[in-house]
Amino acid sequence: MTRRSFLTVSLRLATVMGLSASAAPALADALERIVRGRAHTLWLQGQCCSGCSISLLDSEPLGPDQLLTRQIALAFHQTLSGATGHQAVETVDRSIAAGGYILVVEGAVPMAMPQACFFGEETFASQLTRAARAAKAIVAVGTCATSGGIPAAEGNSTGATSVPAFLKHAGITVPCISIPGCPAHPDWIVGTLAHVLQFGLPPLDELGRPRAFFGKLIHDQCPRFSDYERENFAKNFGDDGCLFRLGCAGPITKADCNLRQWNGGTNTCIKAGAPCIGCASEGFAAKRDFPFYLKNGQLRPQGEHGV
Amino acid sequence: MKETISVSPVTRIEGHLGVKIDTADGRVTSARVVGEMFRGFEQILRGRDPLDAQQITQRICGVCPVEHGIASILAQDAAYGVTPPPNGRIARNLAQAANFITSHITHFYLLSGLDFVDVAQVTTYKGNDAALTALRDWAKSELANNTVNAGGPFLPQFPAQLIKDPSLNLGVLRHYLEAIEVRRDGHKLGALFLGKLPHAASLIPGGITEKITAIQITSARALLERLRTFIERVYLPDVVAVATAFPSYFELGRGCGDFLAYGVFPETEGNGSPFLPSGALIGGKLQRLDIASITEDVRYSWYSSASGRRPTEGETVPAPEKAGAYSWLKAPRYAGRPMEVGPLARLLIAYHDGRDTTVKSAIDGLLKTIGRNPADLVSALGRHAARALEAKLLADRCVEWLDQLVPNQPAGVDFTVPATGSGVGLTEAARGALGHWIEIRDHKIANYQCVVPTTWNCSPRDDRDQPGPLELALVDTPIADAKAPIEAARVIRSFDPCLACAVH
């Protein structure tokens, strides 16, 4: 594409977005960056399982190869980078020195035990502080990064902390978007990055989550909603019917899994007979006494379920 | 001349790994393998509902979630006294095998590939292939515009001897792009039965929650055919070609030479008759697996808990300031020995076991193709070959398993969680032998211990100062350039380390 064609597309886009024609050149810049792969992005991992990275690799129709060569210039990613050892450290440091990138963070930060996560000779907490200060925007990916997740569950000894809480503690005010999910759905990651690159920050809720993906309860889009209405409840795993009495956290979890489905539309938890375990909810796995499943006639403590 | 080289972080593996290498006159004299991240899953599991375990432990690792889920479910099946009906057992096998296949393809191309392939060479590409042309134009524009970290994440690579033959080099690079697409099909195959991946939804004690239907079987067959075609026509030939181009790696990275497997893919009622059998191959002799011989030392690990315990009595108390310690991994030992686990261990044990002739003839066939003998498999390249061959064996077996599914028959049985109980779940992850130990008291988890494949392979020294398998494998590796220790990187990555698993 030529500069002229970027401008033509941008004029059309500006109209669609309800912007004035004067916004077109800025949009054209953003588009050009995207198409030419110049939106500088840095992906760091703390206390994580790499599940969100693996989930991103499952992205389609925008495959990871197109994402990396067309949409973002991914300077570094621990699981994908050619750079090894000191090269990897130098690569990250070059990005930090240049600044102005989008910083993606996967995983929690062990604030009470910084030695619980290293990158080269540096603790992750120290690296994240440097990287966050020089970033244009931060995207916390996955529930470990957005609210601490399993590493921060009761009984943890590392003081695992979410990225937004860590940034607040460090006095860093760079805007941070939260994409929860254990793992995060690839569309949630790709869609959010695309919005940031093309149109700036997407509309966010009070927890910093993109409303486009986390605006509605799982329960409200449930394929078994009519079973709930008719009080046709599954008693055992594998039964037809609403999974509420088996512990389904759909009524307290906001995410669009039921509409979007997983693995390129192959399936999703509730469709497969599995109660939602609330992996995208801010309290995911946090409390020992809030089990994922109910069995043997167990009931949840009063008031812990929103329905 | 003596030097100490630090390779940290080791990228293109799962998680946080560092390796400290001592060399003398350009050869490795000793190595210390460092696990650099800890979360504390075993402490977090205590006091929780036992049914939480299979969801929590899947989150130990985003690369091997199905296997952790299965290990936890097998431990719970044992504790609750249930076994899945045939549909449930077969569906678990299919999902687990599919995750192995995705993991193996991901490992060879996305993780190890850049140790062999010269990415920058794509700028000289003159052919008409759409994907390579697009990659060439992208790489040229990146390099010409001198962006920050141009060519990331693929560049920079170590300045080292990579594949010389341009057609092989560009061929493997083209297949890297294909692998990115094909690996998704393994996850789709798993998601058909388990709801989603990574982190499966529908594993449950007694079976799975998903129903078996004709459309699901048909979809699985279509996905499987694409995987089989890729493995046979692309993955296996590429491994043979890379092996031919780097023959010295049949001599390097030999390791401890003893192998352990727990058995995986049960083919009869009651989770019995694993397709790939269990055993301990010590000094070339196959012994029956004795799980009472498994202990974990922590002398060199950042834990203050007692050393040399069996997993049933194991504890995990972090002590990051502990003097003399150098890793977050414990040091599992079998009858006091370090043991290698993984696809190579599984195939060698099946080869010696000999009950299933398909494995033996597949190994003999591959060895004939590459002109090698079985002893050569105990090497860095042997691990790649075993992984690719296992992918083929499993994809073929999945076809048979799919034929055994019966639509509309149950895939699970009901169960009751007892107030008190215990169970062991032994299975295999893509990276090797995986065990979960659960103890239930008062309806809650009283203790939970996981002994994980990479804990075996990347273990630090034990109480008797015996190095772990990777530490041993690195010894004698020549390092031509201390600033670009590609040889060590190739040996390390041949084990397919998974550090989130290893430490958990």
Side-chain angles (χ1 to χ4, degrees):
Chain A
M1 277 173 100
T2 61
R3 176 70 187 172
R4 191 180 173 75
S5 56
F6 279 115
L7 270 170
T8 313
V9 172
S10 301
L11 267 172
R12 227 180 297 142
L13 253 177
T15 314
V16 172
M17 293 164 68
L19 304 172
S20 80
S22 63
L27 272 173
D29 284 347
L31 275 180
E32 199 168 352
R33 245 192 343 264
I34 294 154
V35 174
R36 303 220 168 136
R38 288 195 203 132
H40 185 180
T41 308
L42 188 58
W43 187 301
L44 299 179
Q45 294 186 326
Q47 289 175 294
C48 74
C49 74
S50 301
C52 294
S53 292
I54 297 293
S55 183
L56 182 63
L57 288 177
D58 285 341
S59 170
E60 65 177 284
L62 184 83
D65 49 337
Q66 289 140 333
L67 178 73
L68 298 186
T69 59
R70 303 269 153 194
Q71 189 154 5
I72 58 174
L74 186 58
F76 181 78
H77 187 295
Q78 193 135 340
T79 323
L80 296 173
S81 277
T84 300
H86 67 88
Q87 265 188 340
V89 175
E90 288 152 17
T91 302
V92 172
D93 286 350
R94 252 196 311 275
S95 282
I96 293 175
Y101 43 81
I102 295 167
L103 174 66
V104 181
V105 188
E106 181 181 4
V109 193
M111 279 182 73
M113 193 189 282
Q115 309 96 316
C117 193
F118 271 93
F119 184 92
E121 304 297 317
E122 186 180 19
T123 66
F124 173 62
S126 157
Q127 183 195 39
L128 178 59
T129 306
R130 293 194 295 124
R133 286 215 166 100
K136 181 167 64 182
I138 298 169
V139 183
V141 167
T143 301
C144 298
T146 61
S147 60
I150 291 175
E154 268 185 290
N156 88 85
S157 49
T158 65
T161 303
S162 73
V163 171
F166 177 84
L167 296 175
K168 195 175 172 197
H169 184 263
I172 297 169
T173 53
V174 177
C176 179
I177 302 172
S178 282
I179 306 176
C182 190
H185 192 294
D187 289 4
W188 302 340
I189 307 172
V190 171
T192 303
L193 287 175
H195 200 290
V196 171
L197 294 172
Q198 295 172 37
F199 312 111
L201 285 182
L204 304 174
D205 69 9
E206 69 285 1
L207 294 172
R209 301 177 296 193
R211 287 184 189 276
F213 304 118
F214 304 99
K216 285 190 175 161
L217 291 171
I218 293 265
H219 182 63
D220 293 350
Q221 298 173 328
C222 184
R224 298 179 187 229
F225 192 79
S226 63
D227 288 311
Y228 169 79
E229 292 274 277
R230 290 172 191 147
E231 299 191 20
N232 174 29
F233 293 107
K235 292 187 183 65
N236 291 313
F237 294 103
D239 286 355
D240 289 328
C242 170
L243 303 171
F244 181 70
R245 292 196 179 154
L246 292 171
C248 186
I252 53 165
T253 306
K254 284 183 168 177
D256 65 2
C257 304
N258 282 324
L259 290 185
R260 189 168 301 283
Q261 306 212 23
W262 286 76
N263 301 95
T266 302
N267 209 343
T268 192
C269 307
I270 289 172
K271 193 176 164 206
C276 169
I277 61 168
C279 77
S281 65
E282 56 273 33
F284 174 58
K287 290 183 190 164
R288 282 193 190 105
D289 294 333
F290 193 86
F292 296 142
Y293 304 112
L294 299 180
K295 191 79 177 85
N296 304 348
Q298 283 167 291
L299 290 173
R300 295 227 186 271
Q302 282 287 319
E304 292 235 18
H305 234 301
V307 177
Chain B
M1 191 183 73
K2 290 187 179 183
E3 270 186 286
T4 297
I5 305 168
S6 172
V7 189
S8 173
V10 179
T11 47
R12 281 182 285 115
I13 55 142
E14 193 298 319
H16 298 71
L17 174 71
V19 178
K20 301 225 166 23
I21 296 168
D22 294 325
T23 62
D25 304 323
R27 259 179 203 278
V28 177
T29 52
S30 81
R32 277 172 299 153
V33 174
V34 185
E36 300 183 325
M37 194 273 280
F38 170 76
R39 287 165 296 172
F41 270 75
E42 288 157 345
Q43 293 171 309
I44 288 165
L45 281 159
R46 284 188 173 188
R48 294 190 80 108
D49 190 287
L51 288 175
D52 283 1
Q54 56 95 359
Q55 286 297 346
I56 299 263
T57 57
Q58 285 196 67
R59 270 85 180 166
I60 286 174
C61 178
V63 187
C64 337
V66 178
E67 294 96 313
H68 281 287
I70 297 262
S72 183
I73 285 296
L74 289 173
Q76 294 183 61
D77 281 351
Y80 311 157
V82 290
T83 52
N87 270 355
R89 169 176 50 77
I90 294 162
R92 287 179 184 177
N93 281 351
L94 284 162
Q96 192 171 2
N99 206 54
F100 274 42
I101 291 168
T102 286
S103 184
H104 289 356
I105 292 172
T106 306
H107 176 259
F108 184 70
Y109 290 98
L110 276 66
L111 305 186
S112 297
L114 301 186
D115 288 343
F116 302 104
V117 175
D118 182 353
V119 177
Q121 203 191 56
V122 76
T123 54
T124 65
Y125 180 65
K126 291 190 175 62
N128 296 320
D129 180 85
L132 281 180
T133 309
L135 191 66
R136 176 197 63 200
D137 295 346
W138 168 78
K140 275 186 164 176
S141 130
E142 284 271 303
L143 295 170
N145 289 309
N146 198 23
T147 50
V148 184
N149 291 317
F154 312 108
L155 298 175
Q157 295 177 275
F158 277 146
Q161 185 63 63
L162 301 167
I163 297 173
K164 282 186 209 156
D165 172 7
S167 72
L168 174 62
N169 188 57
L170 291 172
V172 179
L173 193 56
R174 176 69 185 83
H175 297 154
Y176 179 108
L177 300 173
E178 220 173 301
I180 285 181
E181 292 180 12
V182 171
R183 62 168 293 291
R184 291 192 300 228
D185 291 338
H187 270 185
K188 285 183 188 178
L189 179 49
L192 279 172
F193 298 101
L194 300 185
K196 79 175 212 300
L197 281 177
H199 303 330
S202 66
L203 283 169
I204 202 78
I208 63 167
T209 64
E210 178 60 298
K211 295 180 191 307
I212 303 300
T213 60
I215 180 66
Q216 180 195 46
I217 296 170
T218 306
S219 305
R221 230 187 279 283
L223 292 165
L224 194 52
E225 276 317 304
R226 284 174 52 178
L227 288 165
R228 289 178 76 205
T229 305
F230 182 81
I231 293 165
E232 272 171 43
R233 299 202 189 148
V234 178
Y235 180 19
L236 261 169
D238 278 352
V239 170
V240 169
V242 166
T244 310
F246 295 88
S248 62
Y249 287 87
F250 274 117
E251 321 296 329
L252 295 176
R254 288 186 169 276
C256 63
D258 295 328
F259 298 92
L260 183 70
Y262 290 163
V264 64
F265 306 117
E267 295 195 308
T268 56
E269 291 295 299
N271 290 329
S273 313
F275 166 46
L276 296 175
S278 66
L281 187 64
I282 296 174
K285 292 213 164 51
L286 185 61
Q287 305 176 0
R288 276 178 65 128
L289 174 69
D290 169 27
I291 62 166
S293 297
I294 298 167
T295 52
E296 288 192 299
D297 286 355
V298 296
R299 179 174 169 190
Y300 292 99
S301 314
W302 286 305
Y303 302 106
S304 59
S305 25
S307 196
R309 293 266 183 107
R310 288 182 185 161
T312 45
E313 305 144 0
E315 283 186 335
T316 308
V317 183
E321 316 279 351
K322 180 172 160 182
Y326 67 87
S327 178
W328 281 111
L329 275 73
K330 295 181 182 178
R333 293 295 182 263
Y334 184 85
R337 292 167 182 276
M339 304 289 277
E340 178 173 341
V341 300
L344 177 61
R346 285 194 287 268
L347 292 200
L348 287 177
I349 284 166
Y351 189 86
H352 281 81
D353 179 274
R355 272 177 289 183
D356 193 316
T357 51
T358 53
V359 178
K360 188 166 191 314
S361 59
I363 293 175
D364 287 334
L366 179 69
L367 288 171
K368 201 173 163 197
T369 308
I370 56 179
R372 294 278 162 176
N373 60 56
D376 293 332
L377 287 175
V378 184
S379 62
L381 276 177
R383 286 183 198 99
H384 285 289
R387 208 168 276 119
L389 194 61
E390 185 181 67
K392 178 180 159 37
L393 287 164
L394 289 180
D396 291 349
R397 204 70 167 196
C398 281
V399 176
E400 295 177 34
W401 292 333
L402 269 177
D403 287 340
Q404 294 162 13
L405 286 175
V406 185
N408 312 317
Q409 290 296 307
V413 293
D414 194 21
F415 61 93
T416 303
V417 182
T420 305
S422 64
V424 185
L426 298 180
T427 186
E428 292 275 325
R431 290 155 184 78
L434 172 64
H436 283 202
W437 281 257
I438 189 172
E439 195 192 335
I440 301 163
R441 273 201 300 265
D442 199 16
H443 294 285
K444 303 281 184 199
I445 296 170
N447 198 15
Y448 204 102
Q449 289 284 313
C450 311
V451 183
V452 185
T454 299
T455 327
W456 288 98
N457 286 340
C458 291
S459 95
R461 281 154 173 74
D462 59 28
D463 290 5
R464 294 193 291 152
D465 278 313
Q466 294 183 99
L470 173 56
E471 293 182 335
L472 287 165
L474 282 163
V475 173
D476 280 339
T477 304
I479 307 286
D481 177 357
K483 290 200 163 47
I486 183 83
E487 304 89 345
R490 285 176 181 148
V491 170
I492 296 165
R493 291 195 180 102
S494 76
F495 282 87
D496 192 7
C498 185
L499 269 289
C501 270
V503 180
H504 49 271

